[in-house]
Structures are given as C-alpha cells and as structure tokens.
Amino acid sequence: MLDADFFRRWLAAAAAAVDREADRLTELDSPIGDADHGSNLRRGFSAVVGTPEKEAPDTPGAVLTLAGRQLISTVGGASGPLYGTLLRRTGKALGEAPEVSEAEFAEALRAGVDAVAALGGAAPGDKTMLDALVPGVDALPTSFAAAREAARRGALATIPLQARKGRASYLGERSVGHQDPGATSSALLFEALATAAGEAPGE
C-alpha cells in the first residue's frame, strides 16, 4: 500500500530529477519551444518540495492535489497548467483514503493523464508529453520499473514525429528530428516513481 510519505518521496525524487536534467530540458526546448521548459519546471518542483510542514497533507490525494496547485501557481507557460492538472486530477481520483493500492494509483493516474489530454486537446503521436505519459501509465499496472522504461521509450519515439500540438507545431516539418521536452520531463516522473519505490535503474 502507498501512503502520503510515498507520494512525498515521489515528488522529492521528481524535483531532484528535474533539477538534474533542467539544462537538458531547456536545450531540447530551444529549437522547438521557448527555451524555458527546464527552468520553469525546476522552479515549480522546487516550490512543491519546499512546502512548509504546517501545510503537509496526510493523505496521498491531498499530497498530489496540493502539489498540483503549486505547479499551476509557480510554473509559467503551458507546462504549469498541464502538470498541475495531472497531479490535481490524480489526487482527486485518489480521494481521502490514507493509503491506496498500486492498482488504485494506476487508475487515478490514468484519470490525470486523461485530464491532460482533454486540457491540451492532444493525443499520443502529436509529439507532446502524452507520448510518454500514456505508455507509462499503460505499463504502470505491471511495475514501476516497467512504467519507467515505457515512458522513456515513448519520449525517445517523439524524435521522428512532426508536432501537431503545442508551440512546436508552429514549426511544421522543422519539428521533426527533435525529442519533445514535455515527453522527456514526463518520463522523469516515472523514473522518480521507480526511485521512490526503491527500484534501481535496470530493474
């Protein structure tokens, strides 16, 4: 069973991964976006893990709902609302239970991914964060490690795609050959999940 502490570990691991990869995310964003994806997410996840203890929620759903609100309020561009929606909708789906099963979490995260798709009007294959989120959540019932690998492969698979949604879509064919920064940062969330669960790379 997964409790509030697990989800706090997940967010802390995500913040660490984003901090580590922020420069690379911005580099990926430079040719097809606004060159601010890494810096924006670093600021947002730093705010998430810097929540004062007096606000520390005690259920998985509340942890994710608060984190989603913070991302929306601190991250500029499209990524704040999208990542914020992902976490808030997942938190709402988890409800007020003090602990949730891995299966319940997978189902709730799928609701979060569906909310992201609805907000952005995108689908897998459009060269967006969904290209990592959807395969990641599809593999989550198998294991956190399987989800990490599926999301990583999904992000890499955006390289030959032409963007059909988001800022990169304005470039048309010039978006081909670039790895999508949103899919890359989404894959980091699944990497962080495996880290929080104690699953080392390669497992």
Side-chain angles (χ1 to χ4, degrees):
M1 297 295 285
L2 310 174
D3 60 10
D5 282 340
F6 172 83
F7 288 94
R8 277 190 280 268
R9 290 199 306 275
W10 176 30
L11 294 172
V18 166
D19 185 63
R20 183 188 74 233
E21 298 291 334
D23 290 345
R24 177 170 174 259
L25 293 173
T26 292
E27 183 179 330
L28 291 174
D29 196 34
S30 294
I32 60 174
D34 295 324
D36 59 1
H37 190 61
S39 57
N40 281 344
L41 284 187
R42 175 185 271 157
R43 182 171 64 253
F45 277 94
S46 293
V48 166
V49 296
T51 307
E53 279 301 311
K54 60 183 173 59
E55 290 187 54
D58 58 1
T59 66
V63 169
L64 296 184
T65 300
L66 176 59
R69 286 205 307 266
Q70 289 172 316
L71 288 175
I72 289 171
S73 66
T74 59
V75 179
S79 55
L82 290 167
Y83 275 110
T85 294
L86 175 69
L87 295 183
R88 286 180 65 182
R89 185 65 186 85
T90 302
K92 181 179 179 182
L94 290 176
E96 299 179 1
E99 293 183 330
V100 297
S101 68
E102 291 184 15
E104 288 168 333
F105 170 51
E107 185 176 340
L109 188 59
R110 184 173 296 282
V113 171
D114 288 345
V116 168
L119 178 62
D126 285 342
K127 199 182 182 91
T128 71
M129 61 196 294
L130 290 174
D131 288 304
L133 290 177
V134 170
V137 81
D138 283 348
L140 194 55
T142 300
S143 70
F144 291 126
R148 173 185 61 205
E149 182 58 23
R152 186 188 70 81
R153 288 196 305 267
L156 290 173
T158 63
I159 294 172
L161 298 178
Q162 179 173 326
R164 293 197 289 262
K165 293 290 181 180
R167 174 73 175 76
S169 66
Y170 303 154
L171 298 177
E173 291 183 359
R174 286 180 295 154
S175 64
V176 173
H178 299 282
Q179 185 169 326
D180 184 67
T184 306
S185 58
S186 292
L188 294 178
L189 288 187
F190 288 97
E191 175 189 313
L193 263 180
T195 298
E199 297 180 7
E203 288 187 25

